[in-house]
Amino acid sequence: MVQGVQDVELLQKLHVGIVVHAPDASVIFLNARACELLGVSKGDMLGAQDLMPGWSLKQEDDRWLTPDEYPVNRVISSRLPLAEQVLGVVRPGHEDVTWAMVSAFPVFDADGALEKVVISFHDVSQLKHTEAVLKERAEQLRLVLEGADLGLWDWNIRSGEVKRNARWATMLGYTYEEIEHTTMQWSDFVHPDDRERAWASIIEVLEGRAPTHKLEYRMQHKDGSYRWILDQASVMQRDEAGRPVRMCGTHADVTERKLMEEEIAHQARTDYLTGVFNRRHFMALATAEIERAKRYDSDLSILMLDVDRFKRINDRHGHRVGDAVLRALCKGCHAALRTPDVFGRLGGEEFAILLPETDLEAAAEVAERLRLVAADASVPEESGRPVRFTVSIGVSAMVSDDDDIGTLLNAADRALYAAKNAGRNRVQVLAR
């Protein structure tokens, strides 16, 4: 029996259930809370050596316990305590399981003999229900993220740890086991040209100047290529001082969309046949280059090219060969020009080339080089005989702050027609 009136009164006041067993496992005491939690009377339990008839216990994995595995019997046989085991109690006539956190420990007398076993337990059914709900929601979130093909990241700002899901890794060609859970690894993956603005966007949110982080940038794939990532995130928790504690976000691979957008933009600014800039985009770039040349007081020249007797080529060999001539001309010119040079098709067989930081004399040398490129080119024809062609080129340069693209094109056009009138296949310079 439990000794001491004060001890009994104390046990009765505890908010946990207490059941005391004799060495033969018979119940010698239980407090009021135990009766309440188990739904039994003290008279039903006192003297019982097993669970009430029809009662059973199971583990969290739904495996039913044998009598030898009951807490009191395990302590009696092992003489060792049992700490915080979650067990489900099923009573006859009840479908619901009462989940309890059970602890048990032996009490020995002065001679080391087992005197009693004390069982304590409290109801954790609500906690188990909450865990089940959270587990279900976590599973729902996982399915949503998988369905949406999203990578998830959860940043503990204080510790620096970043938890990620498997899709975050596979999006970049890695297995989940290969990735590190640090902000440094993310930063290392971001393209060097994008890294500063990616961090700047995140810092704006951390410091409360922006509500959300939403940015598209490039991250390096395991194969060395770069993927375009749409990164969206918010601060989910701040401390009492307003400092950010936790930030969560998602990654979406938008590479295909970005490539499509780039292709559409490319098509909008280039000539479909030759691949050089179309007239509209050439004019826009040329205007910007002229303004830059004026701002920095630098040289700027322009060339006008025209395929000699192009109509005759079309009439004699057909438009397919005529198109091939234009493509061959542009391919050769591209190879001979610098990256800053602006090459555009103005219409038909007429092209213009803007040469930044190039004076009139140097522009004439470029023009002569392009003339020779065209003269050396040829296009195969169905008869097997190659079709050859030549170009005439007019050269002019900016001489005044009043010059605009129209002024330069008119000057180069006059030089071009002078070259045509002088016999074609030549370069004509117009000094202004």
Side-chain angles (χ1 to χ4, degrees):
M1 296 180 65
V2 177
Q3 301 299 319
V5 174
Q6 290 184 337
D7 291 342
V8 172
E9 290 180 350
L10 176 62
L11 293 177
Q12 291 291 4
K13 292 178 180 179
L14 290 178
H15 194 62
V16 296
I18 301 293
V19 179
V20 181
H21 295 261
D24 64 354
S26 61
V27 176
I28 57 176
F29 173 83
L30 70 162
N31 68 356
R33 182 58 175 163
C35 294
E36 179 185 347
L37 292 175
L38 296 175
V40 297
S41 67
K42 184 181 296 187
D44 292 331
M45 289 289 292
L46 287 176
Q49 289 186 304
D50 205 339
L51 292 177
M52 300 288 289
W55 287 40
S56 55
L57 297 178
K58 69 175 183 177
Q59 297 186 140
E60 290 184 280
D61 61 3
D62 287 334
R63 186 181 70 83
W64 297 100
L65 270 63
T66 64
D68 288 343
E69 295 175 308
Y70 292 169
V72 61
N73 293 329
R74 286 180 58 184
V75 172
I76 290 172
S77 62
S78 69
R79 297 171 62 87
L80 297 173
L82 177 69
E84 296 186 342
Q85 183 178 14
V86 177
L87 297 174
V89 181
V90 180
R91 293 176 290 172
H94 292 77
E95 295 183 359
D96 295 336
V97 178
T98 299
W99 289 96
M101 180 77 75
V102 181
S103 295
F105 62 92
V107 177
F108 303 98
D109 62 18
D111 298 325
L114 181 66
E115 182 179 331
K116 55 196 168 192
V117 175
V118 179
I119 308 288
S120 67
F121 61 95
H122 61 275
D123 193 336
V124 293
S125 299
Q126 184 59 45
L127 178 61
K128 288 287 292 182
H129 173 72
T130 301
E131 289 178 348
V133 170
L134 291 175
K135 184 177 181 180
E136 181 181 2
R137 290 178 180 175
E139 178 65 11
Q140 289 173 343
L141 176 60
R142 184 186 67 81
L143 294 173
V144 168
L145 291 171
E146 287 184 358
D149 202 27
L150 293 175
L152 175 68
W153 58 271
D154 185 350
W155 179 21
N156 182 326
I157 298 171
R158 288 175 174 170
S159 69
E161 182 184 13
V162 185
K163 295 181 180 178
R164 302 180 172 106
N165 66 352
R167 181 56 185 143
W168 192 99
T170 59
M171 199 175 291
L172 299 175
Y174 294 89
T175 64
Y176 182 77
E177 291 72 25
E178 288 178 305
I179 63 171
E180 299 173 6
H181 297 278
T182 63
T183 54
M184 182 58 69
Q185 186 177 55
W186 163 79
S187 185
D188 288 344
F189 282 160
V190 177
H191 192 288
D193 293 344
D194 298 341
R195 196 171 295 150
E196 184 177 349
R197 66 187 183 91
W199 269 116
S201 178
I202 288 176
I203 291 171
E204 285 287 302
V205 179
L206 293 180
E207 296 183 354
R209 294 191 296 271
T212 58
H213 159 69
K214 183 176 181 180
L215 191 68
E216 291 179 358
Y217 53 81
R218 292 161 292 178
M219 294 186 72
Q220 190 169 34
H221 193 274
K222 188 177 182 180
D223 63 13
S225 65
Y226 281 93
R227 308 292 294 178
W228 277 98
I229 301 297
L230 170 60
D231 188 5
Q232 301 185 84
S234 299
V235 171
M236 307 304 294
Q237 183 181 355
R238 294 182 183 272
D239 62 18
E240 294 180 355
R243 292 183 293 263
V245 174
R246 184 181 181 191
M247 189 176 194
C248 300
T250 59
H251 278 187
D253 187 336
V254 294
T255 305
E256 298 305 319
R257 174 175 63 78
K258 290 292 290 187
L259 293 177
M260 185 178 297
E261 289 175 354
E262 289 174 0
E263 178 60 25
I264 292 172
H266 175 74
Q267 292 177 5
R269 63 178 181 259
T270 57
D271 174 59
Y272 74 96
L273 176 63
T274 62
V276 301
F277 293 132
N278 58 28
R279 182 186 183 92
R280 180 178 180 179
H281 194 61
F282 172 83
M283 298 294 279
L285 291 178
T287 299
E289 282 296 335
I290 291 170
E291 292 304 314
R292 190 180 72 84
K294 292 176 182 178
R295 187 181 311 117
Y296 295 104
D297 192 26
S298 59
D299 293 317
L300 181 72
S301 297
I302 190 166
L303 312 181
M304 287 278 287
L305 291 76
D306 188 276
V307 179
D308 295 327
R309 296 186 173 90
F310 185 68
K311 184 177 184 301
R312 182 183 298 178
I313 295 174
N314 274 333
D315 292 344
R316 179 176 298 177
H317 303 285
H319 288 284
R320 184 185 63 80
V321 173
D323 290 348
V325 165
L326 297 181
R327 286 194 293 267
L329 171 64
C330 291
K331 181 179 179 181
C333 289
H334 255 310
L337 292 170
R338 306 167 304 175
T339 300
D341 299 333
V342 183
F343 187 14
R345 184 184 182 189
L346 301 186
E349 69 276 21
E350 192 172 66
F351 299 85
I353 301 174
L354 202 70
L355 304 174
E357 299 182 8
T358 307
D359 61 20
L360 194 61
E361 182 179 354
E365 293 175 0
V366 173
E368 180 61 21
R369 187 163 64 246
L370 297 182
R371 186 191 69 79
L372 294 174
V373 166
D376 289 340
S378 64
V379 173
E381 206 262 343
E382 290 181 359
S383 65
R385 298 180 60 183
V387 175
R388 307 187 73 86
F389 59 93
T390 62
V391 297
S392 298
I393 306 176
V395 184
S396 187
M398 187 174 72
V399 297
S400 168
D401 284 348
D402 294 330
D403 285 347
D404 57 20
I405 185 58
T407 306
L408 293 178
L409 285 175
N410 287 335
D413 192 50
R414 292 198 301 273
L416 171 62
Y417 276 93
K420 293 276 190 182
N421 292 333
R424 298 183 176 86
N425 189 24
R426 66 181 59 234
V427 172
Q428 182 68 48
V429 176
L430 178 65
R432 298 166 55 214

